[in-house]
Amino acid sequence: MINVSVVGAQGRMGSHVVDAVNSAADTQLALALDAKDDLTAITPDNTDVVVEFTVPSASLHNVLTLVKQGVNVVVGTTGWTDDKLAQVTTALANAPRDNQSVFIAPNFAISAVLADHFAQVAAPYFESAEIIELHHPTKVDAPSGTAIHTAHAIGEARRAAGLGDMPDATTTDGGSRGQVIDGVHVHAVRLRGLNAHEEVLFGNAGEQLVIRADSFDRASFMPGVLLAVRKIASGAFPGLTIGLDRFLDL
Amino acid sequence: MINVSVVGAQGRMGSHVVDAVNSAADTQLALALDAKDDLTAITPDNTDVVVEFTVPSASLHNVLTLVKQGVNVVVGTTGWTDDKLAQVTTALANAPRDNQSVFIAPNFAISAVLADHFAQVAAPYFESAEIIELHHPTKVDAPSGTAIHTAHAIGEARRAAGLGDMPDATTTDGGSRGQVIDGVHVHAVRLRGLNAHEEVLFGNAGEQLVIRADSFDRASFMPGVLLAVRKIASGAFPGLTIGLDRFLDL
Amino acid sequence: MINVSVVGAQGRMGSHVVDAVNSAADTQLALALDAKDDLTAITPDNTDVVVEFTVPSASLHNVLTLVKQGVNVVVGTTGWTDDKLAQVTTALANAPRDNQSVFIAPNFAISAVLADHFAQVAAPYFESAEIIELHHPTKVDAPSGTAIHTAHAIGEARRAAGLGDMPDATTTDGGSRGQVIDGVHVHAVRLRGLNAHEEVLFGNAGEQLVIRADSFDRASFMPGVLLAVRKIASGAFPGLTIGLDRFLDL
Amino acid sequence: MINVSVVGAQGRMGSHVVDAVNSAADTQLALALDAKDDLTAITPDNTDVVVEFTVPSASLHNVLTLVKQGVNVVVGTTGWTDDKLAQVTTALANAPRDNQSVFIAPNFAISAVLADHFAQVAAPYFESAEIIELHHPTKVDAPSGTAIHTAHAIGEARRAAGLGDMPDATTTDGGSRGQVIDGVHVHAVRLRGLNAHEEVLFGNAGEQLVIRADSFDRASFMPGVLLAVRKIASGAFPGLTIGLDRFLDL
């Protein structure tokens, strides 16, 4: 049985994590804390893995504190920069216990992580590739971080394969062709009723490959969170690990 | 049996029209002419309906000549302006025979015409609407004329229904949100392997309606051309008629 | 302000209706009752329209009682037979007040109602048509009532247009071609993560038209419920009215 | 420059192969033969690789003859059984030259081969999986061989991962749930206008992954044929190799 504490337990994601930890057969809830609570209550005596879902402004401080407490951390908060990641690596090097782990994932939806991976694998074999991401209309940034990540993955794979520019004869356009990221046109749709969706289109003469990931609600992230908790609890990933794809058999 | 002459018979569309006229049970080919041929060979004695598929720079002259010859014309060439249309109307008023007809359609694909119509009908009932059009990468204009037409149809229907702006919290965007036409975000994809496709997305809280028209090749226009030939040959549409939707029971 | 009472207020749909009535600017909640409550508490003095969302075994009795109470009823419960509908019509003929209304809808999702209508309009213009419906895996019946309804609508429209059988050269099949309803092949998918979705595919040589309705959750039914409440409260639909399409400008 | 001969050069696929070989910068056409021609005209002096696209009843004899001639063969004809493959293996063991190659692929569309592979990789991570294949209505078998292959790939991947049956509460069905192959529901659509398409749907609570391959026409197979010609000409695949996935970096 894995003892899991949750930091940000009353937040929108954290409350789902509490439910998921309570429901799974091999996990049980240790402490459920929130922003204002004292994180030093979390110790190796009561907790195997902490799941941290708070806000970018608080997350680094939380993770550094938890590492110093001697516990492993699974982080769902976004906003990690190279500098912040370096501070986590340093903290882990000075951690009180051997083989402590921190895992950070920009996306816990298994479908999204697989779609991103498949896009990278498929990219060398097609003349054309474009990305359409679709989200709820209360999202403030466009395109999504996931779409940007996928665009770079496709761009890199094409360069590695020696592919040149994609065919595009467009001479007249008022903005409909979208944003070009690493040579890949990215389109962002905002539509009431949708949640978080990404579609990657690949084309050759006479054929198309479409890879689409739909996240309909936050429940979609829980299989990924539990997978990370189990992998980190196993002790097989000491140090800093980034990205759910590391835990999939790809 | 309807006698059909084709102007532009060796062109990409015209050659399909010749095949379609030869294949249909109720039509037969009269004259098959090309750009350099003398159109005055076409007369009411040999032809009930002429199908004209040439280029924008030649089409007006062709149509005026054919009207003066006393025959009915179905026009598939694009590029018609209000001024050109007015010249056709005047020619028809002075035509040698009563009830002569000219029919002009920007799009002969029945699926595209229906999609455009359905988008207009659905528009008043949804908070959000966006358009994605997808074409082969040798197309020079973006977005497509069809997408622009659909965007205006949605915009007008929303205004008539008293709907305000669509919800959109986007504050950061480098162009991924596409081109806004009459309040509707339009996205243009260019992908090798595709031909001409349009997808209209409508959304309310918890629900989505998607209307998609795919034209895989030029064969897709022939049912619409034959429908127009039959309707014009029937004599029920004297004068100038615009748009295939006029012949559908909508 | 329209006074709305809800019968079945603690049910899965009814609780959403209570929220929707409380949220809308032009409606307010009168009484919120449940199965065991006395419906005679609902009278014209406190209620303009009752929304009834219970179970098929209770709904007829509830509606007859409410009509006798002199109030208008919007019914979301399913399972209505011709015999049951006849009893409602008789009750309305003997109702205590003039112009009392009962409205019954098999589906309150506007996207689904529009998709069904569009399928009927498009059907005469295509050689082929098939239906794919997709639902959560806890649904016990396949295909969905909505898909059966759409299949019959397409079948009737094809017969009215004089179309024959659809082309299908299949000679070997172990069941993959689905269920044929009124000449239309219907396919039912059951997938964890989905809710209620229907896709209608139409095809001619070289072209396809796709109409898809997605209902992601029960919130999707509330715009339709509120639309019905407003139309019935207006007094413009005395007697029995069936189907949300009656309230759309189609 | 790779010298390529084509057997079945006037067939529907073979004529595309001749065009592709003539168009590519690194291949040139040697001999273009048909069913009735003498295959012993093909020798290592004039040919590096033969592409064979004929009919199942002729293909084994053709391949055995070509192997005896000392040339490498890329085979696109279908209908290979274990017994036929064993005869090819024996022929290769007794071939006149060292390291002769025969390559057989059930599908040369890169998008279809990738979709099949991705479905296998994704299968262990989802509760539900279903397949929809869509083809032109002149196809005689349903479901397609590709869909059957994908169903088995998913079934095996689920067993290897220890997954049980998919959730499915259906109690009433008249055939709409499709054909169950290795535990996977497979649905076959036949629609005028379509060519060859496969869509694989995966679902977990709150999320969906969709992988779709579209083959719009026979041109879609040529990148795969040329890839096979190049790989076989390289000499890196002596003996019998089966499946285009062997040449992709998966």
Side-chain angles (χ1 to χ4, degrees):
Chain A
M1 186 67 74
I2 309 170
N3 292 305
V4 181
S5 289
V6 180
V7 173
Q10 292 177 31
R12 293 183 304 185
M13 285 297 296
S15 58
H16 274 83
V17 175
V18 168
D19 290 347
V21 166
N22 281 326
S23 300
D26 58 343
T27 58
Q28 63 186 11
L29 189 66
L31 299 177
L33 303 184
D34 248 307
K36 58 195 177 307
D37 295 321
D38 180 8
L39 300 193
T40 61
I42 300 175
T43 70
D45 288 340
N46 54 37
T47 298
D48 298 308
V49 180
V50 183
V51 178
E52 202 265 4
F53 265 107
T54 62
V55 292
S57 59
S59 189
L60 174 63
H61 180 75
N62 291 345
V63 172
L64 296 179
T65 301
L66 292 163
V67 169
K68 203 175 286 179
Q69 288 293 108
V71 291
N72 302 308
V73 195
V74 166
V75 185
T77 313
T78 56
W80 290 88
T81 60
D82 287 350
D83 174 62
K84 288 182 177 183
L85 294 173
Q87 294 187 54
V88 173
T89 303
T90 303
L92 282 164
N94 302 314
R97 300 202 305 152
D98 284 349
N99 295 327
Q100 270 184 240
S101 304
V102 170
F103 173 72
I104 299 177
N107 198 328
F108 277 97
I110 288 176
S111 57
V113 173
L114 287 172
D116 191 75
H117 171 72
F118 293 157
Q120 193 167 357
V121 173
Y125 303 106
F126 292 91
E127 273 190 74
S128 302
E130 301 209 1
I131 298 171
I132 304 168
E133 59 93 327
L134 312 94
H135 281 82
H136 55 84
T138 54
K139 184 175 178 65
V140 295
D141 54 316
S144 68
T146 303
I148 294 171
H149 188 269
T150 305
H152 284 302
I154 292 171
E156 282 172 33
R158 289 179 64 93
R159 274 193 299 279
L163 297 182
D165 290 345
M166 299 181 199
D168 185 1
T170 311
T171 55
T172 311
D173 178 32
S176 67
R177 291 284 289 116
Q179 182 173 349
V180 182
I181 297 176
D182 216 345
V184 181
H185 287 257
V186 178
H187 312 269
V189 172
R190 296 292 172 265
L191 202 82
R192 181 76 76 208
L194 295 183
N195 183 37
H197 315 256
E198 182 174 273
E199 194 165 308
V200 188
L201 310 178
F202 292 101
N204 280 328
E207 70 172 339
Q208 185 185 219
L209 176 70
V210 179
I211 299 166
R212 179 176 175 123
D214 295 287
S215 168
F216 299 116
D217 61 44
R218 292 190 189 91
S220 64
F221 301 118
M222 293 310 114
V225 169
L226 290 176
L227 176 63
V229 164
R230 288 170 188 131
K231 292 288 185 178
I232 291 302
S234 75
F237 294 87
L240 176 63
T241 303
I242 295 176
L244 199 66
D245 54 312
R246 292 291 304 280
F247 299 148
L248 303 178
D249 190 19
L250 302 178
Chain B
M1 186 68 74
I2 308 169
N3 292 305
V4 181
S5 289
V6 180
V7 174
Q10 293 177 32
R12 293 182 304 183
M13 285 298 296
S15 58
H16 274 84
V17 175
V18 168
D19 290 347
V21 166
N22 280 328
S23 301
D26 58 343
T27 58
Q28 64 185 9
L29 189 65
L31 300 176
L33 303 183
D34 248 308
K36 57 195 176 310
D37 295 321
D38 180 8
L39 300 194
T40 62
I42 300 175
T43 69
D45 287 341
N46 54 35
T47 298
D48 299 309
V49 180
V50 184
V51 178
E52 204 265 6
F53 265 107
T54 61
V55 292
S57 60
S59 189
L60 174 63
H61 180 75
N62 290 345
V63 173
L64 295 180
T65 301
L66 292 164
V67 169
K68 204 175 284 180
Q69 287 294 106
V71 291
N72 303 308
V73 196
V74 165
V75 185
T77 313
T78 56
W80 290 88
T81 60
D82 286 349
D83 174 62
K84 289 183 176 181
L85 294 173
Q87 294 187 54
V88 174
T89 303
T90 302
L92 281 164
N94 301 315
R97 299 203 305 153
D98 284 349
N99 295 329
Q100 270 184 239
S101 305
V102 170
F103 172 73
I104 300 176
N107 197 329
F108 277 97
I110 288 176
S111 57
V113 173
L114 287 173
D116 191 75
H117 171 72
F118 293 157
Q120 194 167 357
V121 173
Y125 304 107
F126 292 92
E127 273 189 74
S128 302
E130 300 209 2
I131 298 171
I132 304 168
E133 59 93 328
L134 312 93
H135 281 82
H136 55 84
T138 54
K139 185 175 178 63
V140 294
D141 54 315
S144 67
T146 302
I148 294 170
H149 189 269
T150 304
H152 284 302
I154 292 172
E156 282 172 33
R158 289 179 64 94
R159 274 192 301 279
L163 296 181
D165 291 346
M166 298 180 199
D168 185 0
T170 311
T171 55
T172 311
D173 178 32
S176 66
R177 290 285 288 118
Q179 182 173 350
V180 182
I181 297 175
D182 216 346
V184 181
H185 287 258
V186 178
H187 312 270
V189 172
R190 295 293 172 263
L191 203 83
R192 183 75 77 209
L194 295 183
N195 183 36
H197 315 256
E198 182 175 272
E199 193 166 309
V200 188
L201 310 178
F202 292 102
N204 279 329
E207 70 172 339
Q208 186 184 217
L209 176 70
V210 179
I211 298 166
R212 179 175 175 124
D214 296 287
S215 168
F216 300 116
D217 60 43
R218 290 188 192 92
S220 64
F221 302 117
M222 293 310 114
V225 170
L226 290 176
L227 175 63
V229 164
R230 289 170 187 131
K231 292 287 185 177
I232 290 302
S234 76
F237 294 86
L240 176 62
T241 303
I242 297 176
L244 198 66
D245 53 314
R246 292 291 305 279
F247 299 150
L248 303 178
D249 188 20
L250 303 179
Chain C
M1 187 66 76
I2 308 170
N3 293 304
V4 181
S5 289
V6 179
V7 173
Q10 293 177 31
R12 293 183 304 183
M13 286 297 296
S15 58
H16 274 84
V17 174
V18 168
D19 290 348
V21 166
N22 280 328
S23 300
D26 58 343
T27 57
Q28 64 185 10
L29 188 65
L31 299 176
L33 303 184
D34 248 307
K36 60 197 175 308
D37 294 321
D38 180 8
L39 300 193
T40 61
I42 300 176
T43 70
D45 287 341
N46 55 36
T47 299
D48 298 309
V49 179
V50 184
V51 178
E52 202 266 6
F53 266 108
T54 60
V55 292
S57 59
S59 189
L60 174 63
H61 180 75
N62 291 345
V63 172
L64 296 180
T65 300
L66 292 164
V67 169
K68 204 175 283 180
Q69 287 294 106
V71 291
N72 302 307
V73 195
V74 165
V75 185
T77 314
T78 56
W80 290 89
T81 61
D82 287 349
D83 173 62
K84 288 182 177 182
L85 294 173
Q87 294 186 53
V88 173
T89 303
T90 302
L92 281 164
N94 301 314
R97 299 202 304 152
D98 283 348
N99 295 327
Q100 270 184 240
S101 304
V102 170
F103 173 73
I104 300 177
N107 198 328
F108 277 97
I110 288 176
S111 57
V113 173
L114 287 172
D116 190 76
H117 172 72
F118 293 157
Q120 194 168 358
V121 173
Y125 303 107
F126 292 90
E127 275 189 73
S128 302
E130 300 208 2
I131 298 170
I132 304 168
E133 59 93 329
L134 312 94
H135 281 82
H136 55 85
T138 53
K139 186 175 176 64
V140 294
D141 54 316
S144 68
T146 302
I148 294 171
H149 189 269
T150 305
H152 284 303
I154 292 172
E156 281 171 34
R158 289 178 65 93
R159 275 192 301 279
L163 297 181
D165 291 346
M166 300 180 198
D168 185 1
T170 311
T171 54
T172 311
D173 177 32
S176 67
R177 291 284 288 117
Q179 182 173 350
V180 183
I181 296 176
D182 216 346
V184 181
H185 287 257
V186 178
H187 312 269
V189 173
R190 297 293 172 262
L191 203 82
R192 181 76 77 208
L194 295 183
N195 183 35
H197 315 256
E198 182 175 273
E199 195 165 308
V200 188
L201 311 178
F202 292 102
N204 280 329
E207 70 173 338
Q208 185 185 219
L209 176 70
V210 180
I211 299 166
R212 178 176 175 124
D214 295 286
S215 169
F216 299 116
D217 61 44
R218 291 189 191 91
S220 64
F221 301 118
M222 294 309 115
V225 169
L226 290 176
L227 176 62
V229 164
R230 288 170 188 132
K231 291 287 185 179
I232 290 302
S234 76
F237 293 87
L240 176 63
T241 303
I242 296 176
L244 199 66
D245 54 312
R246 293 290 304 280
F247 298 149
L248 303 177
D249 190 19
L250 302 178
Chain D
M1 187 67 75
I2 309 169
N3 293 306
V4 181
S5 289
V6 180
V7 173
Q10 293 176 32
R12 294 183 302 184
M13 285 297 296
S15 58
H16 273 86
V17 175
V18 168
D19 290 347
V21 166
N22 281 326
S23 301
D26 58 343
T27 59
Q28 63 186 9
L29 189 66
L31 300 176
L33 303 184
D34 249 307
K36 58 195 177 309
D37 294 321
D38 180 7
L39 300 193
T40 61
I42 300 175
T43 69
D45 288 341
N46 54 36
T47 298
D48 298 309
V49 180
V50 184
V51 178
E52 204 264 4
F53 265 108
T54 61
V55 293
S57 59
S59 189
L60 173 63
H61 180 76
N62 291 345
V63 172
L64 296 179
T65 301
L66 292 164
V67 169
K68 204 174 284 180
Q69 287 294 107
V71 291
N72 302 308
V73 195
V74 165
V75 185
T77 314
T78 56
W80 291 87
T81 59
D82 286 351
D83 173 62
K84 289 182 176 183
L85 294 173
Q87 294 186 54
V88 174
T89 303
T90 303
L92 282 165
N94 302 315
R97 299 201 304 152
D98 284 347
N99 295 328
Q100 270 184 240
S101 304
V102 170
F103 172 73
I104 300 177
N107 198 328
F108 278 96
I110 288 176
S111 56
V113 174
L114 287 172
D116 191 77
H117 171 71
F118 293 157
Q120 193 167 357
V121 173
Y125 304 106
F126 292 91
E127 274 189 74
S128 302
E130 301 209 3
I131 298 171
I132 303 168
E133 59 93 328
L134 312 93
H135 281 83
H136 56 84
T138 54
K139 184 175 179 64
V140 295
D141 54 315
S144 68
T146 303
I148 294 170
H149 188 269
T150 305
H152 284 302
I154 292 172
E156 282 172 33
R158 289 178 64 93
R159 273 192 300 279
L163 296 183
D165 290 345
M166 299 181 201
D168 185 0
T170 311
T171 55
T172 311
D173 178 32
S176 66
R177 291 284 289 118
Q179 182 173 349
V180 182
I181 297 175
D182 216 346
V184 181
H185 287 257
V186 178
H187 311 269
V189 172
R190 296 293 172 264
L191 202 82
R192 183 74 79 209
L194 295 183
N195 183 36
H197 314 256
E198 182 175 273
E199 193 166 309
V200 188
L201 310 178
F202 292 101
N204 280 328
E207 71 171 339
Q208 185 185 218
L209 176 70
V210 180
I211 299 166
R212 178 175 175 124
D214 295 286
S215 168
F216 300 116
D217 60 43
R218 291 188 190 92
S220 63
F221 301 118
M222 294 309 115
V225 169
L226 291 176
L227 176 63
V229 164
R230 288 171 188 130
K231 292 287 185 177
I232 290 301
S234 75
F237 293 87
L240 176 62
T241 303
I242 296 177
L244 198 66
D245 54 312
R246 293 291 304 279
F247 299 149
L248 303 178
D249 189 20
L250 302 179

